[in-house]
Amino acid sequence: MVVDPGQLRLLALIERHGSLTAAAHALQLTPAAVTQQVVKAERDWQVPLVIRGPRGATLTAAGALLASHGRTVEEASDKAEAQLAALLGHLSLRLRIGTFQAAALHLLPPALTALRHRHPDADVSVVDVVSGRGADEISAGRLDLAIVASWGTPLAPPPHLRAHPLLLDPMVVVLPDDHPLATGQPADADLHLEQLRDESWVSILAGHAAREQFHDAAREAGFTPTVRFETESYDVAQALVGTGIAVALVSRLALAHAPGTTHRELAHPRPYRQIYAVTRTDAGLTPLADMLIDLLRDVARDITATWEAPQQEGQRSSNSPHGSEATPPGPDRPQAAGRADAGEVAGRST
């Protein structure tokens, strides 16, 4: 026969408490339900196990033998319950994060600071993860949350994962600071990509999503870019632009303000990358993930507001009788500069 550990535990409880009613209370069952379980156990074991009397219940020799094993089952059950509670308590405070470096510099620190104020006992870890690997690391159980980027197309994770949009990060043109397009028009004037058709470009390596997006934008603008330098890093791209030998298309969040460079916004349509937080669809074991996502969205709103502040100031100036003659920027055009993500890997971890 197949041994039912529940029957062994029931007999141990009857032996300990001396009655079916008390055993039922310990199991959070009705006395009738416990009586039915005793009848079933005696039928399964094919031997009397419990002697019912006016003062309670005692076990037969067979029942006492089985109850001794039931005590082992009960001890194991209590130990398992305690260990599970400890594990769930640990998991509720654990958050393993993967992120690319621009997000690690600009999005994550303020959000983590707020999280640590709310949960100073949180067990948080952060690792560098390229955007293309974030979802895989969560699926493999090595991460609880990944911050990733997608260029040009919405992120579509598998059903067991969920993508939480955080930020639209526009691409901007980085120019040598003595470039005619930088010196010959106001700093808040948008550029059209076709104005750069004859330029030499520093671009992200072929095969990366950022490179594909760049070529798509150039094609829509009616030209094929002359790419003379390729790199995996937006920082390297901007450093090369600072030498005066080329221009580059760089994420707004990754602007480094390298010596000898300036940047200009692109007129519509402008390419963007979308930044997401990715988690498991069922994140019940990691409640800190949902909290961090809310905090990341707060930070993203602050970043967007900072980008838009110069544009709003420009609009007020242009509406003033003494305002500048600069073309007012569009309603969604980011403006403020951000620091570079050192060593950022564009198309992989940018």
Side-chain angles (χ1 to χ4, degrees), residues 93-313:
L93 293 173
R94 187 184 73 180
L95 189 59
R96 299 166 299 172
I97 304 165
T99 181
F100 59 92
Q101 292 185 26
L105 282 171
H106 303 292
L107 279 172
L108 197 54
L112 277 185
T113 299
L115 183 69
R116 297 290 295 197
H117 279 299
R118 296 185 186 186
H119 290 280
D121 53 349
D123 178 14
V124 178
S125 62
V126 182
V127 296
D128 276 332
V129 173
V130 297
S131 288
R133 291 289 305 166
D136 293 338
E137 292 296 296
I138 295 175
S139 297
R142 290 185 286 268
L143 292 178
D144 303 310
L145 181 149
I147 302 174
V148 303
S150 176
W151 287 258
T153 58
L155 192 66
H160 67 282
L161 299 181
R162 181 180 176 191
H164 309 261
L166 297 177
L167 179 69
L168 278 178
D169 184 16
M171 309 303 288
V172 297
V173 177
V174 178
L175 304 165
D177 57 12
D178 59 355
H179 192 284
L181 290 176
T183 60
Q185 56 184 319
D188 60 352
D190 290 346
L191 290 183
H192 293 270
L193 200 56
E194 55 264 29
Q195 292 177 264
L196 302 159
R197 63 187 308 127
D198 296 325
E199 300 291 336
S200 295
W201 289 85
V202 184
S203 180
I204 299 307
L205 285 172
H208 294 302
R211 176 67 171 269
E212 294 175 9
Q213 184 191 61
F214 169 51
H215 277 281
D216 288 344
R219 184 165 49 251
E220 290 177 6
F223 70 98
T224 300
T226 301
V227 176
R228 300 199 181 276
F229 308 93
E230 295 183 90
T231 177
E232 291 184 329
S233 168
Y234 280 148
D235 285 346
V236 172
Q238 292 172 84
L240 288 172
V241 171
T243 68
I245 59 178
V247 300
L249 204 63
V250 171
S251 153
R252 188 71 174 80
L253 198 64
L255 275 177
H257 299 293
T261 69
T262 187
H263 78 277
R264 292 293 184 269
E265 308 290 342
L266 283 171
H268 294 287
R270 69 189 66 187
Y272 285 88
R273 68 175 178 179
Q274 174 75 63
I275 299 176
Y276 298 87
V278 179
T279 63
R280 286 191 174 275
T281 301
D282 179 8
L285 292 179
T286 53
L288 292 185
D290 285 340
M291 183 176 296
L292 183 63
I293 288 169
D294 289 339
L295 295 171
L296 287 168
R297 284 175 171 155
D298 290 341
V299 175
R301 281 191 290 269
D302 290 343
I303 289 174
T304 301
T306 301
W307 288 349
E308 291 175 348
Q311 141 197 342
Q312 294 167 354
E313 180 62 31

